[in-house]
Structures are given as structure tokens and as C-alpha cells.
Amino acid sequence: MTSIEAVEAASPSVAGSSLGGDRTLVRAALTAGLFEAIAITRYDVLRGELSWRRLLAALAWMVAIVAIHAVPWTVLALALRRLSPSWRFKICFLAWTVGVAWGRTLLDDRTPMGAGWLLGVGLFLVWVAPDLRWWRIPAWANTALQTAGILAVGAYGLLGRVPDATYALRDRSLFLATSAAMAVVVVEALLRAPRALALGMAALFVGSFTIGLIEPSAAAPNVLWVLVDTARRDHVSPWSKLVLTPGTTKLADEGIRFDDAVTVVPKTPASVASFFTARYPIHHGVRSLYDSLAADQPTIAEAFREAGYQTRAFVDNAYLSSGRGYGQGFEEFDGYYELARPYGPLRYTSWTVLADRLTRRSIHSFDSQTSARVLTDATLSFLRSSHRRPFFAYVHYFEPHWPYYPPPALAEAHGGPPDGKCDVNLIDHIGVGRGAMIFQNYLPEAENEKGRRLYAAEMENTMTEVGRLIEGLDAAGLRESTLVVFTADHGHSVGDHDYYFHHGEFLYDSSLRIPLVLRWPGTLPSGVVVDSQVRSIDVAPTVAHLLRLTSFPRGDGTSLVPLFASPPADGAPVAPAYIESDVKMFSSNTRREIEGLAGKLRAVRDGRYKLILTPRHRQLSFELYDLVADPDETRDLASDPGYADVRARLEAQLLTLVPPTERTMLGHFVNVGRERSLSTQTPALEQAPAPDPNQMKMLRSLGYIE
């Protein structure tokens, strides 16, 4: 008797098996299907929230996912019915394994490096281990080996996707392990005691009608926070003379416009962390592109949730995910892979991926951009739904980001190539390299101009979607009951200061100035313009002030309400902005010499002047600009004797803002005006952790490394 036949003989009967009474195949198909079904619905449907609606939806999707697995197993088993049970099972398992691996490979979905060993383990446990001559094990142990092999292959199909690769490996592994254990328990209960399982499921779903039902809170205003990634302020109306975006002009006319708003760091993860926490990067800890926001950092979303708000996020950026800490406080967090949802949760199953890649190709790669229209549609669907509680919704557009592929009609209207094909977008395919384009741009000016025009078209397209979102909000009857925050995480350089189509490595205003509007008809004044400098870290304290969220700590920011409640007199001091760059990401950037956190540029900006510090080997380099007389920052005043007092004042401000450990590292410039050479004995600042291979792949897809 073969090992498979022994297992079947020891197994209880399963009446009406869709696999012709082959109990081993039934167990295998159920295990494969339920493992994916439980993991996917926990991650994509339940999302940690238990309510009867979600549980019923999860059950329906689980049935669909199990069915997807049962069909190919059944068809193949029937086709192989003349073979022995042992070979029939092994061939079905092999075919399923090939399908899992093939679907994963076709999608190129950031499969974790080295994860292929799971396929090898699965094949060994199912094909080799049970039939080893010296391996004498009872039938139940053989079943355990087969189950472990199926779970290993299933884990290969899910690892890095459910949950996504931004979660810590330990958290991903624990999630999959618990899902696997739940699948095994359910399969055994289904095979051995189906009636008891049915009664238990019925009790669960009856009880679920009392789970997660939150009583509506007293009438309170809503908040819609809209942020556009990589948005130059001079490409947004009413500030722009180049791009006309009527939706944002109307928003500014109906609200409060801040004409000198700046981000405190021109890179998305750190910038958004500063928005959410009202803290500088030196305090919230996100200092590089691949850092995560720590769980002990209080966020504005957490404050809203504690106040009884429904909190939702719609985020189209690979580096802002729940797994990296940005989901803190959100009941539901739709990351960029959850926004476009072809086939619903089925899109995570390997067989669906395989069928889609060979037909419609509706499931996009994990590293591709989502259309701004898709993001708007998803948010509008939420806004138009019934709300038992006030909501805080955060919406993050990504589409203006490089590479620039606007809709063909808009590209053509701006004078760019309709198909988006130009050297700026295809730089890696013409033998130049992304870094060389950014820092030593040798492209013909005509090609650079095409890139600028495509970026302008991207901006118009995205701002049109922002306008459509606000129109939808108003049409849903939420105009007077919703505070709208409209802003950007940072700007973008398109050749300014010989820095092309990038952001984060330098601290010029093209990458720092951001649009900022607050609109709340009937509560906030309309048509007000605030000229004073404000900072990104001031936005959350302002929102908390307006909505009386006393649980949110102010952090490093301050409420802007006094600025528009009683505008300050001309010449009144403003809070300085302490600004830092990203770490150096390109060896092509020869204007920065020092790697890691130690080499970050640092700046202080007071609205009129800005002082930039660039660490170099054995010296510190400074730039000083008068932003009123020279808004394009073309004249460096650092060595001008007439501005010595200004430089000394700003250096003193910078000194108070730089953390002590970094101040020491920067050369002990405790007394302004003394020798500023770097000591060879200065302790080195802790370096940022190196990204893992999957992060490197994402960095390349976003153009942040070569």
C-alpha cells in the first residue's frame, strides 16, 4: 500500500466529494484554498475590525477563493482518474505549485529574495519525504508532511504580498503562520465534524451582529485632508502662471490661502510623518526613505479615532503603508495596491493573477502608479456612503511623480509627446542613467523641456482630480460640515540649480514651498491670504485646534489659527523652520560628499532669509539667500560682509535646532564665528540602515536610485 493509500484508508469518509471520493485530494485542495482565503480576508477584508458586515463579506470571499482552488484541482484529478491515488495527488500538487510560481513570476510582485526555498521544501515534503525507504512514519504523520508542503507553497504565493513587503518579516511570518494554523483547524473540523463546524460558524455570525457596532457620536464636523505628492507650488493655481487648475483656485477663494508654506523635509515618508505628528524628523525618527514611523509616535489620526471619528486613508504611495507605521489611527488604510481592486480580494490569489496576466492584465504590478482618477473614485465612493460617525479622511495623490505619463490629450495640450516618450522618462533605456540625468544633465534641452511639459500636464491632471473630489464632497451635502485641508508633501526640481526632475537631495525653495489651503464654509473666513511663513508641522496642530482635539500633542508645531484670526503686524517674528534633506542616494551627486545621516543638508528659514548648511570633509559649507529680493536663490550671500549679522543670527538659530549628537558631529561649532572644520576625532553619527533587496527594487521603480 502506498503512503497516499494508507492516508486515505485511515481518513474518515467525505460524502459527496467533488474530487470523486479522493479524500487526500479533498484535504489538499481545502488546505490550499483555505490558507489563502483566511490570510487574504484577514488582511484585505477584515483589516483587524470585527463587524457583522465584514465577517459576512469575508465569508463570501473565502468561499470564492476556495472555489478558485477547487476547480483546477478537480479538473486535473478527473483527467488523471486512471492513475493511482498517489500519483494523482502528486501531479495535482505539482501543477498547483507551478501555477503559484508562474503567477507570482508573471506579476513581478517583489517576491522576497530567497523565498524560492519554500517551493523546494513543499516539493520535498510532498514528493520525496513520504516515500523514503528508511522513513517509516504512521499515516497521520504522512498527512502532516503533505499539509506542511502545501502550506509552504501557499506561503510562497503570499509572502511579501499578504501582508505586503513593508511589514517587518517577523510580523509577516507570524501573520501567515497563524493563518496556516487556522486553515488546518478548519479543514480538520470540516472533514471530521462538519456539523459541529457549521453550528460554530452560525454562532459566530449570529454573535457578530453585536460586534463592532459603534454608537453614532454627537454631530461633529468632518475633515478631508488632501495631499498631492511632488507638487511644485508654482504649478498649482492660484499661485501658478503656467498651469491653470480652476478647482484649486475655487478652493483657495472659498478658504484661507497660505502664500509662504514650506515643508520641513522634501521627501515623502519623513514629510508625511511630520504632517501626522507635528514633529521634526529629528524627533519622530523618520530620517531616511526606508525608515518606519514608530508606534509610540502620536498621530493626528489616532487623536481623531479616540474622539470617535471614522478614520480612513486612501494613499497612492508605495512608501506610505500600514506596515511602515502610517496606518496608525486609521480604521481602514487603502494603500496603493488596495485602491485599484480588480477582482476584489481574489486579486491576491495566484491562480487569479495567472489568469489575469494571460488575459486582461487588470492587476497592476506592485510597483506601478495608480491613476489619480482611481484614487478620486475610491474616495468619492466613501464620501457618498452613509456615515454614522463624523469622518477624518486622508487622501494622498502620487501621479505627478516621475516618470511623467499624463493622459495623452493633456500631454499634447502642454506641448509634450502624447505617449510620454522622451529621454527624461526613458533615461534608463538610453544608456545615461537616472543619477547622471539628475546631477550632470547632458540631455538636449529639447528633451528636458519635454519632461517639464509632461510634468506640467501631470500636475494639471492631478489638480483636476482634486477639483473633482471637492465638487463631489460638496454635491454629497458635506460642504459646510467638512474642513478641507489641501497641501503637498514637498515640491520638485525640474532643472532649478542644475537639479533635474527630482527632490530631496537639496534644500532650495523649488522643493520646499508647498500649496496650503484650509476651507470650512460658514466657520472659517473665505478669501483670506496669509503671507507669513508657516510650516508643515503647523497643520495638524491647527486642525486639532479647530476641532478641539485636546488629546493631540502640539509637538514642534503651533496652531495657525491666530494668524488668520488676527493677522500679525508687518515685521512680526515668525517661527523659524528647521529643514533637513534626505540622505545622499546617488553617487552622481558630487555636490554632497558625506553619506548617511551625517551628510544630510540642514537649513533654517525665517521667511525672509534661509541659511543652508552642507557638511563636507573637514569643513562646513554655508549658503545664505534673501528670499524676498532673490526668490529664485541665485545669489549666495554667505560671504557678503553686509549680511554677516544675518548669517550669525541664523547660525545661532540652526545651532539650537540641531540635536546635540549631530551638533557634535558637525564639528563642535558651539560658538558662532569660530573655526568650523570637522575634527577627525568627532564621533560619527549612526548611519541609516541599508535597505533590503525588495526596498532597493522599489527605490529603483520610483527613480530614487540607479
Side-chain angles (χ1 to χ4, degrees):
M1 180 181 292
T2 67
S3 58
I4 298 297
E5 291 165 342
V7 172
E8 292 197 7
S11 300
S13 63
V14 181
S17 169
S18 62
L19 298 180
D22 192 330
R23 290 175 294 278
T24 301
L25 280 172
V26 170
R27 175 180 278 106
L30 285 175
T31 301
L34 276 171
F35 178 32
E36 281 201 350
I38 291 172
I40 291 169
T41 53
R42 285 177 67 197
Y43 177 68
D44 196 55
V45 181
L46 296 177
R47 303 188 183 190
E49 296 288 333
L50 291 181
S51 68
W52 65 268
R53 293 182 182 87
R54 292 198 183 190
L55 284 169
L56 287 175
L59 179 61
W61 285 114
M62 285 176 65
V63 171
I65 293 171
V66 171
I68 283 178
H69 285 272
V71 168
W73 282 81
T74 301
V75 171
L76 191 57
L78 292 175
L80 300 173
R81 60 183 178 273
R82 295 183 180 276
L83 297 179
S84 68
S86 176
W87 278 104
R88 189 162 61 245
F89 167 72
K90 286 183 176 181
I91 292 174
C92 286
F93 171 79
L94 179 62
W96 173 69
T97 300
V98 170
V100 170
W102 192 8
R104 190 69 190 256
T105 302
L106 282 176
L107 190 60
D108 189 26
D109 206 16
R110 291 221 312 274
T111 305
M113 298 295 292
W117 67 270
L118 288 168
L119 295 177
V121 168
L123 289 170
F124 174 80
L125 292 177
V126 172
W127 269 75
V128 179
D131 296 322
L132 290 175
R133 296 293 182 184
W134 50 269
W135 186 266
R136 294 290 181 266
I137 56 175
W140 66 265
N142 191 49
T143 299
L145 286 177
Q146 295 165 4
T147 300
I150 291 167
L151 294 175
V153 174
Y156 175 81
L158 296 173
L159 192 62
R161 301 181 70 225
V162 180
D164 70 57
T166 59
Y167 285 80
L169 180 60
R170 181 192 63 182
D171 295 337
R172 284 181 273 154
S173 301
L174 180 62
F175 183 91
L176 292 179
T178 54
S179 298
M182 293 168 67
V184 171
V185 170
V186 172
V187 168
E188 292 305 313
L190 186 61
L191 293 176
R192 298 177 184 277
R195 292 182 181 179
L197 178 64
L199 290 174
M201 294 293 290
L204 171 65
F205 281 96
V206 169
S208 70
F209 279 83
T210 63
I211 297 174
L213 298 180
I214 302 174
E215 291 296 324
S217 61
N222 308 303
V223 176
L224 177 64
W225 187 323
V226 182
L227 185 146
V228 179
D229 205 303
T230 318
R232 286 178 67 106
R233 198 195 67 154
D234 61 5
H235 281 53
V236 182
S237 296
W239 297 276
S240 176
K241 297 179 181 178
L242 177 66
V243 181
L244 299 180
T245 54
T248 57
T249 298
K250 182 175 182 291
L251 190 67
D253 290 343
E254 295 175 347
I256 301 168
R257 185 180 96 203
F258 296 86
D259 273 0
D260 195 20
V262 294
T263 184
V264 297
V265 53
K267 211 64 165 188
T268 300
S271 176
V272 172
S274 290
F275 271 118
F276 282 2
T277 65
R279 296 181 175 185
Y280 286 121
I282 55 176
H283 295 145
H284 61 58
V286 181
R287 305 294 303 282
S288 67
L289 192 62
Y290 30 87
D291 285 336
S292 297
L293 181 61
D296 61 358
Q297 292 295 322
T299 69
I300 188 70
E302 290 176 307
F304 273 111
R305 190 167 185 179
E306 290 173 10
Y309 274 67
Q310 183 180 6
T311 52
R312 286 293 303 270
F314 304 88
V315 178
D316 181 21
N317 187 301
Y319 270 90
L320 302 179
S321 74
S322 184
R324 300 176 70 88
Y326 294 93
Q328 293 172 206
F330 289 104
E331 292 176 350
E332 291 192 50
F333 189 99
D334 284 330
Y336 74 117
Y337 196 65
E338 286 80 36
L339 290 169
R341 300 174 62 87
Y343 317 110
L346 301 183
R347 71 195 186 281
Y348 286 111
T349 68
S350 299
W351 284 100
T352 303
V353 169
L354 177 58
D356 175 75
R357 298 302 284 184
L358 298 177
T359 54
R360 297 176 58 192
R361 301 180 70 86
S362 298
I363 303 176
H364 63 66
S365 172
F366 205 64
D367 292 316
S368 64
Q369 292 182 202
T370 301
S371 165
R373 174 168 288 275
V374 170
L375 182 61
T376 302
D377 289 343
T379 309
L380 286 177
S381 178
F382 166 74
L383 295 178
R384 292 165 181 160
S385 61
S386 59
H387 300 285
R388 295 177 293 108
R389 293 176 287 151
F391 63 78
F392 168 68
Y394 175 74
V395 185
H396 188 114
Y397 289 90
F398 184 72
E399 196 164 311
H401 199 283
W402 179 91
Y404 319 120
Y405 286 102
L410 270 179
E412 194 169 17
H414 281 267
D419 58 3
K421 290 183 178 179
C422 65
D423 288 352
V424 170
N425 280 344
L426 304 174
I427 192 69
D428 291 331
H429 302 284
I430 63 174
V432 175
R434 177 89 168 123
M437 180 188 73
I438 294 171
F439 302 104
Q440 294 97 30
N441 190 289
Y442 301 117
L443 298 181
E445 181 55 24
E447 291 298 312
N448 286 324
E449 185 59 24
K450 288 178 185 177
R452 295 187 188 98
R453 291 177 182 274
L454 290 174
Y455 172 75
E458 283 267 39
M459 286 294 296
E460 181 176 342
N461 179 60
T462 304
M463 296 308 161
T464 298
E465 288 300 315
V466 171
R468 188 165 71 91
L469 177 60
I470 303 304
E471 289 175 3
L473 174 81
D474 295 350
L478 300 171
R479 186 173 185 272
E480 283 75 26
S481 61
T482 303
L483 167 64
V484 174
V485 179
F486 167 66
T487 189
D489 54 350
H490 52 72
H492 197 51
S493 185
V494 292
D496 321 68
H497 294 269
D498 293 323
Y499 185 39
Y500 288 82
F501 310 110
H502 197 50
H503 49 267
E505 299 249 357
F506 299 114
L507 297 181
Y508 301 112
D509 270 11
S510 56
S511 296
L512 299 180
R513 299 190 80 177
I514 55 176
L516 177 60
V517 174
L518 301 180
R519 191 199 77 165
W520 191 357
T523 302
L524 295 181
S526 62
V528 172
V529 178
V530 175
D531 295 322
S532 301
Q533 172 181 284
V534 300
R535 307 161 299 178
S536 57
I537 55 174
D538 299 328
V539 178
T542 303
V543 172
H545 184 170
L546 290 170
L547 278 81
R548 299 180 174 85
L549 296 178
T550 56
S551 65
F552 181 71
R554 191 181 74 176
D556 299 310
T558 185
S559 172
L560 302 176
V561 171
L563 285 181
F564 52 80
S566 54
D570 291 342
V574 299
Y578 173 62
I579 305 166
E580 66 177 52
S581 71
D582 190 18
V583 297
K584 180 179 177 179
M585 302 293 288
F586 290 88
S587 60
S588 306
N589 183 3
T590 58
R591 292 149 65 184
R592 290 180 58 177
E593 299 176 359
I594 300 176
E595 307 284 343
L597 300 182
K600 276 177 170 278
L601 274 65
R602 295 147 176 94
V604 63
R605 189 184 191 277
D606 66 4
R608 174 67 188 269
Y609 298 103
K610 179 169 64 180
L611 182 72
I612 303 173
L613 182 158
T614 302
R616 301 187 187 282
H617 293 300
R618 298 188 175 278
Q619 65 176 350
L620 300 179
S621 173
F622 289 90
E623 299 169 71
L624 175 65
Y625 297 102
D626 183 337
L627 303 174
V628 174
D630 180 25
D632 294 328
E633 300 167 283
T634 60
R635 184 187 172 204
D636 181 5
L637 305 173
S639 300
D640 191 325
Y643 291 86
D645 291 344
V646 173
R647 172 173 168 167
R649 174 174 59 82
L650 292 178
E651 282 194 26
Q653 286 183 334
L654 188 61
L655 175 65
T656 63
L657 293 166
V658 173
T661 55
E662 298 188 21
R663 191 184 315 156
T664 301
M665 181 274 304
L666 288 172
H668 305 279
F669 64 113
V670 175
N671 295 316
V672 175
R674 290 192 176 181
E675 177 63 34
R676 299 180 182 86
S677 62
L678 285 172
S679 168
T680 56
Q681 301 302 315
T682 300
L685 186 66
E686 181 182 354
Q687 298 296 297
D692 64 30
N694 288 313
Q695 290 173 332
M696 295 289 285
K697 188 172 182 180
M698 193 189 317
L699 287 168
R700 290 189 185 95
S701 74
L702 297 175
Y704 289 145
I705 63 173
E706 306 230 60

